[in-house]
Amino acid sequence: MGFIIGMDEAGYGPNLGPLVITVSLWKVPGDPREFDFWQALQSFVSQTKPAKNSELLHVADSKEVHSSSAGLAPLEKSIFPFLQLLSGEERITSLDGLWRLLVDSATHLDEIQNQPWNHNSDFSVPTSVDLETIQQSHQNLKQAFDAAGIELQAFCSEIVLPERFNRCCREYGSKGVLLTRLCMHLLTRVWDRESAEPTLIIGDKHGGRNRYDEYLDEILDGEMIFRVEESTAKSVYKIGNTEVRFQTKAEAHFPVAVSSMVCKYTREVMMELFNQFWLQHVPDLKPTKGYPVDARRFKSEIADAQERLEISDQILWRGQ
């Protein structure tokens, strides 16, 4: 047996809303570097968009699964069966339940719940797919995993709100370093460096960064890091029984794609709550996804309400 950790993020570029980073931990048969999820699960998952009435789950880069025109339904259909694998008999029916599954820090959970727009933590999820459909997909997925010898062991997320984002950017000097350090912190929650079983860690490249060894060193206890490759295509390191890869188009790997979809869904549903809050105070307000040009439009239109509600830029606006 071996382990694979897939890692991705959503919301790195916007000025509004959270940055979400997620790692997923999988136990697989044999050498994790050789294991092919797509082949093992071909009867149940598809990298391309399935036909309308297909029971196949669409698993791919979240930007391919999600579209504004289709709403949250495609993401919910694909990702909730995976979430259900971890939540067991307790179905996730609220945004608060999703946060509790993903976030292991009580401090950060309190920070999320205390945002003015997150007070409605009972916001119901899924929003567009019925629970019976999800339950059937969950059962089918569990059977497929059992047959293939796959075990999903964890999802862990960093949900980084604007105040913390800005504070860490100041502390670390750039949002690029913030992303890399938060990714490394997440790895410590799921990576068992003492395991005798081989482990493969895969994540997307962080912008133009080619060197990651100094950041890996920050979370290790003096273990030797061997550079295998550092290039624009990928950076590969060996640490004991673990191989770490940061590469372009990492979402081609199943565990990264699933992490990508968890990130995207979490951010999208939180932005839904965010937009609902402001629409209560600014009638006819056009919702935003939080990306720079539209974020400035949105901020201008809520300015009077923001002042009236005494909501500071500190908790609203990501400055970098």
Side-chain angles (χ1 to χ4, degrees), residues 270-285:
M270 289 180 71
M271 288 304 295
E272 179 73 19
L273 203 58
F274 177 84
N275 281 302
Q276 286 184 13
F277 171 85
W278 287 107
L279 186 59
Q280 293 173 358
H281 300 282
V282 184
D284 302 320
L285 178 67

Side-chain angles (χ1 to χ4, degrees), residues 174-193:
S174 74
K175 69 177 186 179
V177 175
L178 171 146
L179 177 62
T180 303
R181 282 192 164 141
L182 289 180
C183 285
M184 298 303 174
H185 172 73
L186 267 180
L187 285 180
T188 65
R189 290 163 55 182
V190 296
W191 176 18
D192 179 6
R193 303 200 306 277

Side-chain angles (χ1 to χ4, degrees), residues 150-221:
I150 301 168
E151 182 183 342
L152 172 59
Q153 296 196 328
F155 286 128
C156 293
S157 297
E158 286 277 8
I159 300 175
V160 189
L161 304 179
E163 184 173 9
R164 183 180 172 209
F165 184 96
N166 292 334
R167 183 175 68 249
C168 289
C169 281
R170 290 192 298 269
E171 180 181 348
Y172 299 151
S174 74
K175 69 177 186 179
V177 175
L178 171 146
L179 177 62
T180 303
R181 282 192 164 141
L182 289 180
C183 285
M184 298 303 174
H185 172 73
L186 267 180
L187 285 180
T188 65
R189 290 163 55 182
V190 296
W191 176 18
D192 179 6
R193 303 200 306 277
E194 303 300 320
S195 173
E197 306 294 345
T199 300
L200 173 63
I201 299 172
I202 308 174
D204 236 345
K205 292 288 293 284
H206 299 167
R209 186 185 305 285
N210 292 333
R211 289 198 60 179
Y212 298 83
D213 52 348
E214 62 183 293
Y215 299 103
L216 283 166
D217 187 56
E218 291 178 357
I219 63 168
L220 299 175
D221 295 320

Side-chain angles (χ1 to χ4, degrees), residues 67 92 113 133 221 240-241 320:
S67 68
I92 297 173
Q113 293 169 330
T133 298
D221 295 320
N241 290 328
Q320 296 195 36

